């Protein structure tokens, strides 16, 4: 079987879906691996490193994809309307694996079905213990939380740690993390290492212990309501109007004394919840910084602008999109390993190919299309 790894064509995407390490493992499993020339440049992985690992280097997308059995991608394929058609060269029965943003781009899922390919959306991997090593959202969010703190520190016009000098003492920056999922917890840990005074909020009471174990103070709104704020998959639920009012008041009060705010709150398949309103921004200290990691889903602050850094009401709003791509080397290493683990789930040692268990919980949770139909429960019908 042939595995193809094309160069990512979406603007700003520097990651690659395989690395020399994962290529070596695929080859050892009996797969033929072809990598498009220049696919790893953005992640500082030259063609020579892929070739040394056993991959062939392909010049041109059509020649790479037309006989591929498995196509590994980072971002969803580019369409004909957007430029190069990455879907057209795929043969019926080919398996497309990547972050396909399926819930946001349902029309493209229909196109996968029409093309007769099997499409697996890695962002839909179930949050169960045996699938943790395939969870691209966790691996990439971890890096995003780290980078968000560095971005905040870079745009903040003061120091983060407390400094005691002969000329006087500089107090530590007060850092508020909104959302204590994977990105938020890494942001807490990173900001703590930089020496800030850290506060964190999440609607889920269950994360309070994790927040406090990292050295942050948990900002609590309604302890009773928070006990019901987590889905079976571990995500935060959308809360009722009464809780949202209490939440807004508490966040507003906390932001008045905050120097750096990092927002990470996302609801799968829905626009990001608004956590910081314009009125709250107006009441923040001049020179404060907000890093909005939810900007690609509409933003946790309506003043954030995707892909831009702007100053409004004296506050700097950082809205970089695709933050993991700004750490492309490490992000690619983790992402590629997630994909390797997913492929290995269906690997058959005897045939040295794939033997897919269609009833497997992970397969059922990620597979979008099969036999020309959209089959995922969240998209079918």
């Amino acid at each position: 079987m042939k595995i193809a790894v094309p160069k990512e064509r979406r603007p700003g995407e520097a990651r690659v879906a395989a690395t020399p390490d994962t290529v070596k493992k695929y080859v050892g499993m009996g797969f033929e691996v072809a990598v498009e020339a220049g696919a790893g440049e953005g992640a500082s992985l030259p063609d020579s490193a892929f070739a040394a690992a056993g991959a062939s280097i392909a010049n041109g997308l059509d020649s790479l994809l037309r006989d591929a059995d498995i196509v590994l991608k980072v971002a969803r394929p580019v369409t004909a309307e957007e430029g190069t058609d990455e879907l057209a060269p795929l043969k019926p029965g080919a398996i497309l694996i990547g972050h396909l943003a399926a819930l946001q781009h349902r029309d493209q899922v229909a196109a996968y079905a029409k093309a007769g390919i099997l499409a697996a959306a890695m962002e839909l991997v179930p949050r169960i213990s045996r699938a943790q090593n395939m969870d691209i959202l966790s691996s990439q969010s971890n890096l995003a939380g780290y980078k968000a703190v560095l971005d905040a520190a870079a745009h903040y016009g003061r120091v983060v740690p407390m400094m005691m000098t002969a000329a006087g003492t500089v107090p530590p920056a007060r850092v508020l993390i909104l959302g204590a999922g994977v990105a938020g917890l890494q942001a807490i840990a990173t900001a703590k290492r930089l020496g800030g005074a850290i506060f964190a909020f999440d609607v889920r009471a269950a994360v309070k212990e994790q927040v406090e174990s990292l050295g942050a103070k948990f900002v609590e709104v309604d302890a009773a309501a928070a006990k019901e704020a987590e889905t079976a998959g571990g995500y935060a639920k959308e809360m009722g109007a009464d809780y949202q009012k209490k939440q807004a008041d508490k966040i507003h009060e906390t932001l008045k004394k905050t120097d750096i705010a990092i927002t990470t709150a996302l609801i799968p398949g829905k626009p990001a919840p608004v956590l910081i309103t314009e009125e709250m921004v107006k009441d923040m200290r001049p020179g404060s910084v907000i890093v909005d990691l939810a900007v690609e889903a509409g933003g946790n602050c309506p003043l954030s602008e995707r892909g831009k850094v702007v100053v409004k009401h004296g506050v700097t709003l950082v809205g970089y999109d695709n933050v993991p791509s700004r750490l492309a080397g490490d992000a690619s290493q983790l992402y590629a390993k997630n994909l390797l683990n997913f492929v290995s789930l269906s690997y058959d040692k005897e045939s040295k190919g794939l033997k897919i268990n269609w009833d497997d919980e992970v397969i059922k949770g990620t597979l979008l299309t099969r036999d020309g139909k959209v089959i995922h429960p969240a998209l079918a019908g």
Side-chain angles (χ1 to χ4, degrees):
M1 296 187 76
K2 177 183 173 181
I3 294 176
V5 183
K7 183 175 183 177
E8 296 298 319
R9 284 169 165 77
R10 292 202 170 275
E13 185 53 78
R15 293 171 292 175
V16 61
T19 63
D21 286 342
T22 62
V23 165
K24 189 177 296 184
K25 288 182 170 63
Y26 288 128
V27 172
M29 293 161 71
F31 292 107
E32 174 191 348
V33 182
V35 177
E36 186 177 4
E41 285 181 357
S44 301
L45 296 171
D47 293 343
S48 58
F50 284 106
S56 61
I57 306 302
N59 290 300
L61 189 65
D62 285 354
S63 61
L64 173 76
L65 296 181
R66 63 177 171 237
D67 60 346
D69 299 293
I70 302 171
V71 177
L72 303 181
K73 289 272 296 148
V74 177
R76 62 189 175 89
V78 173
T79 64
E81 292 75 19
E82 296 172 302
T84 302
D85 190 340
E86 293 185 276
L87 194 58
L90 298 184
K91 66 182 182 182
I95 303 171
L96 171 67
I97 304 172
H99 190 310
L100 303 182
L103 298 180
Q104 293 77 28
H105 298 279
R106 297 176 182 233
D107 56 335
Q108 198 159 7
V109 175
Y112 303 149
K114 186 177 180 181
I117 66 172
L118 282 76
M122 292 299 294
E123 73 274 12
L124 300 179
V125 165
R127 287 203 158 177
I128 56 177
S129 57
R130 72 182 182 89
Q132 287 180 348
N133 64 1
M134 310 171 206
D135 188 349
I136 65 167
L137 297 183
S138 292
S139 72
Q140 304 302 290
S141 293
N142 188 55
L143 292 170
Y146 165 81
K147 186 62 171 172
V149 174
L150 300 189
D151 288 338
H155 288 284
Y156 183 54
R158 300 180 177 88
V159 298
V160 175
M162 181 176 72
M163 290 190 176
M164 301 178 70
T165 75
T169 299
V170 177
R174 293 172 66 94
V175 182
L176 174 64
I177 313 295
L178 296 175
V182 173
L185 292 173
Q186 181 57 249
I188 291 169
T190 305
K192 188 66 179 177
R193 287 194 291 269
L194 286 182
I198 318 301
F199 301 81
F201 163 80
D202 196 288
V203 298
R204 300 163 296 172
V207 303
K208 179 179 179 181
E209 186 177 335
Q210 293 173 285
V211 164
E212 292 177 341
S213 72
L214 292 172
K217 183 176 180 180
F218 191 69
V219 178
E220 200 157 49
V221 175
D222 184 333
K227 292 179 181 178
E228 307 297 325
E230 189 170 355
T231 68
Y235 294 99
K237 284 183 181 177
E238 194 167 6
M239 303 297 284
D242 182 58
Y243 182 90
Q244 289 181 13
K245 176 64 168 61
K246 292 179 182 178
Q247 170 187 300
D249 291 343
K250 188 68 174 181
I251 291 175
H252 195 168
E253 175 189 335
T254 307
L255 283 170
K256 291 177 182 178
K257 299 174 285 185
T258 294
D259 300 301
I260 293 172
I262 296 173
T263 71
T264 71
L266 291 166
I267 301 174
K270 295 185 178 181
V274 174
L275 300 181
I276 301 179
T277 65
E278 184 169 7
E279 291 305 310
M280 295 180 193
V281 174
K282 289 179 180 178
D283 285 340
M284 291 182 72
R285 296 169 173 172
S288 298
V289 175
I290 297 172
V291 178
D292 193 340
L293 285 181
V295 71
E296 292 175 66
N300 293 140
C301 178
L303 299 185
S304 302
E305 296 185 25
R306 182 172 179 173
K308 296 181 180 179
V309 178
V310 296
V311 178
K312 298 181 181 180
H313 307 298
V315 175
T316 300
L317 293 107
V318 180
Y320 294 128
D321 57 359
N322 196 1
V323 174
S325 183
R326 301 179 64 236
L327 296 168
D330 290 327
S332 296
Q333 294 286 348
L334 298 179
Y335 183 88
K337 191 63 183 295
N338 290 147
L339 266 57
L340 172 65
N341 292 330
F342 181 74
V343 172
S344 298
L345 179 68
S346 299
Y347 177 68
D348 180 55
K349 290 183 179 179
E350 290 186 10
S351 66
K352 292 191 175 182
L354 297 187
K355 187 176 181 180
I356 300 173
N357 177 2
W358 305 107
D359 294 321
D360 186 285
E361 186 178 359
V362 178
I363 299 297
K364 291 171 73 173
T366 56
L367 200 61
L368 304 176
T369 57
R370 182 187 177 193
D371 297 330
K373 298 177 182 178
V374 176
I375 62 168
H376 195 279
L379 298 165

